[in-house]
Amino acid sequence: MHIVQPGTEIDVLKENNKIAHENYRLLKQNGIKSIDFMGSIGAGKTAMIIKLAEKLRAKGVRVCAIAGDVTGDDDYSRFERSGLESVNCNTGHECHLDANLIKKTLANIKLEDYDVIFIENVGNLVCPADFPLGTDLRVVVVSVTEGDDMVRKHHDIFIHSDIAVLNKVDIASAVDVDPEVIAKDYNKLTGGVKNIYKCSVKKDEGLDEIIAALKL
């Protein structure tokens, strides 16, 4: 991806990766574990972050969340109502967060106050894949309500993620989706070395396994 200006060519992805490395170093210098949650609208990212944060805070882990959205503060407000300290980050019109937006957001956070920062990316299964933010891990969250072809349709975001989560498995039969189809597609895509984590945030199932996978 390039933006061409008179006499100048800016490689957007290269610049993003440079700033992402800066973000990573900053977070590591402050002893922070950071995780980028990607996924489409309605996959359950917000609810998952709230539940994971509750479990971590119960163990004395200091958690902060960055709520990424195009406009509005709905997810930010949900974080705050749950007791999770958070910061809102609107992209204005972009379909993804980028490293520079996160750099600016981190400048407004007292990093020494936290052990873990969760970043909820904009709801999208395409654009976020190309823009690492400088986090330790990238997680992609999908739900059974999106159908059983998510992995087949969106290779990039699964390939560029460290961990994949299939949410809302408790209602799979109601939406006529077989979670094992999605699991097999993911296992095949990753050459048989990775398995998707199945969970139900609503029923608090599978979240402890996700925390273990995130090494939190």
Side-chain angles (χ1 to χ4, degrees):
M1 179 185 295
H2 295 79
I3 294 177
V4 180
Q5 298 177 342
T8 306
E9 186 178 76
I10 302 173
D11 189 324
V12 174
L13 297 183
K14 183 176 180 180
E15 183 64 19
N16 182 85
N17 290 342
K18 176 184 174 184
I19 298 173
H21 285 303
E22 294 173 2
N23 291 343
Y24 179 81
R25 288 195 296 270
L26 175 65
L27 291 163
K28 290 294 97 181
Q29 287 167 3
N30 284 275
I32 292 174
K33 182 77 173 279
S34 56
I35 297 144
D36 176 14
F37 285 83
M38 304 176 291
S40 56
I41 295 172
K45 299 186 300 299
T46 307
M48 182 174 295
I49 288 172
I50 288 171
K51 280 288 189 180
L52 294 176
E54 286 176 356
K55 289 176 176 290
L56 291 174
R57 296 205 314 272
K59 297 192 295 184
V61 180
R62 302 172 302 166
V63 187
C64 178
I66 296 174
D69 247 321
V70 177
T71 60
D73 62 359
D74 293 76
D75 292 342
Y76 163 78
S77 296
R78 285 180 64 187
F79 288 150
E80 288 288 310
R81 287 196 299 271
S82 76
L84 174 57
E85 296 178 21
S86 57
V87 179
N88 201 34
C89 182
N90 287 152
T91 66
H93 63 277
E94 296 295 339
C95 58
H96 59 86
L97 292 175
D98 62 35
N100 193 47
L101 277 170
I102 294 304
K103 178 180 179 180
K104 292 177 180 178
T105 303
L106 292 176
N108 293 313
I109 297 175
K110 290 183 66 177
L111 299 178
E112 64 271 18
D113 289 349
Y114 302 105
D115 304 306
V116 173
I117 291 181
F118 289 144
I119 301 175
E120 181 181 16
N121 218 310
V122 176
N124 193 307
L125 278 176
V126 181
C127 307
D130 291 330
F131 290 85
L133 307 177
T135 55
D136 289 289
L137 295 170
R138 307 182 85 190
V139 177
V140 58
V141 182
V142 294
S143 75
V144 297
T145 58
E146 299 168 68
D148 63 9
D149 54 3
M150 287 300 97
V151 176
R152 299 193 300 274
K153 284 183 175 180
H154 299 285
H155 281 186
D156 279 359
I157 201 158
F158 287 95
I159 290 172
H160 286 87
S161 299
D162 301 289
I163 293 171
V165 177
L166 176 60
N167 189 25
K168 305 184 184 181
V169 293
D170 55 306
I171 61 169
S173 60
V175 294
D176 197 25
V177 168
D178 182 357
E180 290 308 314
V181 171
I182 300 170
K184 288 177 182 177
D185 284 342
Y186 180 70
N187 184 259
K188 180 179 179 181
L189 178 67
T190 58
V193 300
K194 287 185 178 182
N195 294 308
I196 199 165
Y197 288 85
K198 303 183 188 74
C199 79
S200 168
V201 173
K202 186 175 182 179
K203 292 185 176 295
D204 195 9
E205 296 173 354
L207 293 174
D208 291 333
E209 288 79 4
I210 293 170
I211 287 176
L214 296 173
K215 295 181 170 58
L216 293 174

